[in-house]
Every structure is written in structure tokens, then in C-alpha cells.
Amino acid sequence: MEFKNITFVKEGKIGIVTLNRPKALNALNSETLRELDTAFDALYADKEILAVIITGEGKAFVAGADISEMKDLNTIEGREFGILGNKVFRKLENMGKPVIAAVNGFALGGGCELSMACDIRIASVKAKFGQPESGLGITPGFGGTQRLPRLVGEGMAKELIFTGKIVDAKEALRIGLVNRVVEPEQLMDEVKNLANTIAAQAPIAVKLCKAAINKGMQCDIDTGIAYEAEVFGQCFSTDDQKEGMTAFIEKRDKCFKNS
Ligand code: CAA
């Protein structure tokens, strides 16, 4: 697939989307958001792809929504831009495949928000995170006010969002914004290993685990537990449940078919 602002490649069972507008530090303009939207549809539709990686070309993961595009927006256009970004990020978050952010550099504003719409964040030591919007006269617009407090807690999210403070990878790890921090040259190997480990599990089970965790993070525990019982039951209608358990009993390698 050909895009102007992103690249999309397949490596075995892994789909890798790279934000590729390095001269603007991969800032998200509406054209880039629409390309991401198309790429996410393609990733979802491709049955061979069992895990997804999002990363950025150059020194940024994504330095935010495109300030030059936003500068002269009016109320209606601002709302539309926010709705577009949120729609694309929700599509990623709700995709029935695990998504890992390989955060190679600046993840600011919409970039931090993009990383938070992924399931797991692995950061290079060069990564920097923050929601600097208040210094630009706006609120975070692609989910930052919602996902950051859910990830790091209300007080820490408020401090970061109210001050616009930018934190390094070590601090991002300390506050629970990233899973781990690695040397820049190890980032893609580390993330690909993780993606391949996930891709080796039963894909429908992984998809249902993601759905149950996502649902449970947004509802009361009884609703979440009831949903878990639903998806747990559904697993027993899959070939891969029979294969996984039979292979265990027969002490042989399993061979999942994504069915
Ligand atoms: N939008 C548009 N262009 C951007 C950009 C952005 N978010 N971030 C960087 N760029 C552009 C710069 O304008 C510059 O372009 P020119 O070469 O044409 O001048 C180019 O990328 C390189 O940037 P710098 O020269 O600034 O690079 P630096 O290394 O000196 O600084 C930086 C890096 C600290 C990340 C700095 O670029 C910066 O502060 N960027 C803006 C970060 C920001 O505020 N992001 C939040 C945006 S608002 C948002 O995202 C709203 C939302 O929630 C949806």
C-alpha cells in the first residue's frame, strides 16, 4: 500500500506502521490521520497479521497534531479535527489485534495520545512524553484527558496536562506510562520479539483478552466479570482452544489456526 505520510509493511505475522513525515517530526495533519485510518482498516482486514507495531521515522514518534494546520481553525473545524483524530485512535484501540507502540523519540500531544491508544508502549531512552497543549491554548484533543488519567492516575495526569511538562523515558517508566525502556538500537528488535511472542499465542484468545481488558477498564467490576465469562465461554467454540489444550496433554508443540 502506498501512502504519502506513513509506511505500512508486513514482516511475517507483524504489521508495521511508521509515521514518515520526519521534516515535521511526524506531526499529525488531517491527511496523515486519514492515511492511518486506511492503514488500520487494512491491518484489521489482513488475516495473516496477528500483531501491529506503530513507530516513527527520525527523531520523533509523533510531535503532536499539526500546529500549522490547527492554528486558524474555528470552533466547528476544531471540533471536527478532534473528532477525526479520536475516531482514528478509537479504531486502533478497538482493533481486534494487539498493538505495540515503539516510541523512538518525541511523543508529545497527539503523539503521546497515539501511543496511549496502543495496548503496550516500549520506549527508547531517547523518547520524551508530554501533553503540552495548555501552552498552545488548547486542551489535549485526541483522547489525552481520558487515557492519561486511566494510565497514570488522576493526580499525575492533571500535573502533566496542567503544566505541559515533558518527561523523559525514565520518568515515563516510573509513572507507568511505558512498559520498559531500551537502548535506541535495540528498540525495534525488542518490540518485534514482543509482537512475535504475542503472535504465537492463540489469536482469537488474544483478541478476546484485549476486548475484555478494554471493556473492564471502562465499567464496574461485575459488568467486567460478566463480560469475561462471555468471552471465556466463546473460546471453547474455537479450534485453537482444542488445539492448545490437546497439544498440552500430548506434550507436543501447538499449531494455532486462528479459528
Ligand atoms: N506541528 C507542526 N509542525 C511541527 C510540530 C507540530 N506539532 N512539531 C514540530 N514541528 C515542525 C517544526 O515546526 C519544524 O518545522 P520547520 O523545520 O519547518 O521549522 C520541524 O518540525 C522541526 O521541529 P523543531 O525545529 O521545533 O525541532 P526541535 O528538535 O528544536 O524541537 C520539539 C522538537 C520540542 C518536539 C518541538 O518541535 C516542539 O515543541 N513541537 C511541538 C510539540 C507540541 O506542542 N505538540 C502538541 C501539539 S498540539 C496537539 O497535539 C493537540 C492534540 O492533542 C490533538
Side-chain angles (χ1 to χ4, degrees):
M1 260 179 149
E2 288 296 315
F3 295 103
K4 197 167 137 200
N5 305 295
I6 65 173
T7 62
F8 169 28
V9 293
K10 263 171 85 168
E11 284 185 22
K13 296 174 178 176
I14 311 300
I16 305 175
V17 175
T18 304
L19 277 297
N20 191 16
R21 221 189 143 213
K23 281 193 185 142
L25 302 188
N26 303 326
L28 297 169
N29 57 10
S30 36
E31 185 181 51
T32 307
L33 289 168
R34 281 193 288 271
E35 289 188 355
L36 286 173
D37 195 46
T38 305
F40 296 163
D41 284 337
L43 282 166
Y44 181 65
D46 190 326
K47 297 281 176 254
E48 286 170 10
I49 293 177
L50 300 181
V52 176
I53 296 171
I54 314 270
T55 191
E57 182 64 35
K59 69 175 177 182
F61 175 70
V62 168
D66 192 313
I67 298 169
S68 47
E69 184 175 327
M70 285 186 293
K71 184 175 145 302
D72 295 321
L73 297 185
N74 62 28
T75 307
I76 293 167
E77 291 162 340
R79 187 185 300 127
E80 289 301 316
F81 189 57
I83 288 171
L84 172 65
N86 273 312
K87 184 191 95 167
V88 176
F89 287 12
R90 260 322 249 163
K91 181 176 282 187
L92 182 68
E93 188 170 47
N94 288 331
M95 189 189 298
K97 301 185 186 198
V99 184
I100 307 168
V103 185
N104 51 301
F106 293 111
L108 304 178
C112 186
E113 292 168 315
L114 175 60
S115 80
M116 292 190 290
C118 300
D119 298 305
I120 294 169
R121 285 148 296 283
I122 309 292
S124 148
V125 290
K126 289 189 172 167
K128 292 202 186 325
F129 295 82
Q131 298 285 164
E133 286 90 344
S134 59
L136 293 164
I138 56 172
T139 63
F142 296 165
T145 61
Q146 303 306 304
R147 293 192 183 91
L148 191 59
R150 283 166 167 82
L151 263 173
V152 303
E154 185 181 334
M156 187 59 75
K158 283 181 172 164
E159 183 177 338
L160 287 172
I161 290 173
F162 293 174
T163 62
K165 184 170 76 175
I166 291 171
V167 298
D168 62 15
K170 201 171 143 202
E171 177 68 357
L173 179 66
R174 193 187 70 78
I175 64 176
L177 187 50
V178 301
N179 285 36
R180 57 189 162 276
V181 180
V182 298
E183 291 302 318
E185 53 280 9
Q186 286 163 4
L187 180 65
M188 284 315 285
D189 281 349
E190 176 80 17
V191 173
K192 284 179 191 174
N193 280 341
L194 176 59
N196 279 310
T197 303
I198 296 170
Q201 314 308 311
I204 297 171
V206 172
K207 172 184 164 175
L208 293 174
C209 289
K210 174 168 172 171
I213 294 169
N214 282 6
K215 170 111 179 154
M217 294 306 292
Q218 314 303 339
C219 66
D220 68 277
I221 190 159
D222 288 324
T223 307
I225 292 285
Y227 188 74
E228 186 189 77
E230 264 320 296
V231 297
F232 183 68
Q234 276 178 38
C235 294
F236 291 86
S237 68
T238 65
D239 296 328
D240 285 348
Q241 175 268 324
K242 301 288 177 271
E243 168 61 14
M245 294 193 181
T246 305
F248 175 80
I249 303 284
E250 293 178 355
K251 301 189 192 300
R252 61 165 172 82
D253 288 343
K254 60 217 162 189
C255 179
F256 291 129
K257 291 197 228 121
N258 196 6
S259 60

